[in-house]
Amino acid sequence: GLIAKVRTPAVARTLAGLGRRLASRATQKATVITIDRTHRRNALDLTALEELHAAVVAAVDAGARALVLTGAEGHFCAGADLTELEDVSFTERLAEVLQHLAAVPVTTIAAISGSCMGLGMQLAVACDIRVVDSPARFAVPVAKLGLMVDKWTLDRVTRMWGEGAARHMVLTAAVLTDDDAWRLGFAQERGGLDTALELAHRTVALAPLTQAGSKLGMGATPGPDADYAAAFARAWASDDLAEGQRAFGERRSPRFVGR
């Protein structure tokens, strides 16, 4: 089973039956999900991918307000376990898992060190924020393997790294470093898991409707978007907005409830 150190019973019950490839623990409404396949530098096979998806679903269902995704023993995720890439069905399921992770209505943080390549890069760009420790190495080595990633991944890599760096990695199989990630804006903070957790704990005190609605807006294609318009209206009509205004006037910290 998944090693679950969580305070929310629902998460503990959900995770208890999963395999020993991930660990999950929750603290102050922030859940840490750790990929633990160290014999493969945390590369994921299909079983581990499904466990990761189940852990994300369970954490959000149990009320987590922030998720931190990391890897055990110094590596984030070295990619897909290539023994699983015999046909396109793995990549099709991977696309569903990644898009679900990107769309969860809470803040997601990738705490990255060591190898972050291929599928690892896809997990990193699916998260909202990246905290990068040294050393770390980043790559999208598809041209070495003769395969391709989906358009969603290319779009996200280009947005998070910038056009030049994305083309550098995808077309020439370049390997970039943690210094490159910081210099090019892929990393928002430097540090390890403790830094990522501190950031997660700061986010859980903020207005959840604003965070969820803003994620919709940043993920939308240019032009009018009905889902974002509805989220915008909810935020402006919310009790949280009134509380934020009161707290500002009273010079105290707001107490947001998500409605």
Side-chain angles (χ1 to χ4, degrees):
L2 204 111
I3 305 167
K5 296 179 181 178
V6 295
R7 294 181 179 176
T8 307
V11 176
R13 286 196 301 272
T14 303
L15 301 185
L18 298 176
R20 296 183 65 87
R21 284 161 286 268
L22 297 172
S24 179
R25 60 189 176 94
T27 173
Q28 298 178 23
K29 295 189 176 180
T31 296
V32 179
I33 299 172
T34 302
I35 301 168
D36 190 0
R37 298 187 81 232
T38 53
H39 64 292
R40 299 288 291 169
R41 289 191 303 165
N42 296 327
L44 296 184
D45 59 10
L46 182 59
T47 300
L49 180 68
E50 294 293 356
E51 290 175 3
L52 174 61
H53 177 65
V56 171
V57 170
V60 174
D61 286 350
R65 289 282 317 287
L67 302 180
V68 178
L69 179 61
T70 193
E73 296 187 18
H75 289 288
F76 181 67
C77 174
D81 192 328
L82 293 179
T83 59
E84 293 283 345
L85 293 177
E86 297 176 357
D87 57 51
V88 77
S89 61
F90 178 88
T91 61
E92 290 173 345
R93 179 57 181 149
L94 172 61
E96 295 172 349
V97 171
L98 291 170
Q99 290 177 38
H100 174 270
L101 174 60
V104 294
V106 301
T107 302
T108 54
I109 301 168
I112 301 168
S113 62
S115 181
C116 179
M117 301 186 179
L119 192 156
M121 179 74 84
Q122 291 175 288
L123 291 172
V125 299
C127 291
D128 298 312
I129 298 166
R130 282 148 298 281
V131 176
V132 175
D133 208 353
S134 180
R137 289 161 60 85
F138 302 87
V140 187
V142 288
K144 284 186 172 181
L145 300 169
L147 52 85
M148 291 180 67
V149 292
D150 61 349
K151 182 65 162 53
W152 181 91
T153 295
L154 291 177
D155 287 342
R156 299 281 290 203
V157 170
T158 301
R159 288 170 59 189
M160 306 302 175
W161 280 97
E163 182 94 15
R167 289 177 181 266
H168 194 196
M169 287 187 287
V170 173
L171 301 181
T172 76
V175 178
L176 302 187
T177 67
D178 49 282
D179 285 336
D180 294 322
W182 182 252
R183 175 175 58 86
L184 296 168
F186 181 73
Q188 283 67 62
E189 294 200 19
R190 288 184 185 266
L193 180 58
D194 287 346
T195 302
L197 263 175
E198 289 172 9
L199 179 58
H201 290 153
R202 293 201 300 272
T203 70
V204 301
L206 303 176
L209 294 181
T210 298
Q211 291 167 325
S214 296
K215 285 188 63 167
L216 275 175
M218 286 185 281
T221 54
D225 181 272
D227 289 338
Y228 182 69
F232 185 89
R234 280 196 302 275
W236 277 93
S238 68
D239 293 339
D240 277 354
L241 175 60
E243 164 64 6
Q245 292 172 326
R246 281 194 302 270
F248 181 79
E250 297 168 7
R251 297 186 178 183
R252 61 173 173 80
S253 297
R255 294 180 290 272
F256 295 120
V257 296
R259 61 178 182 268

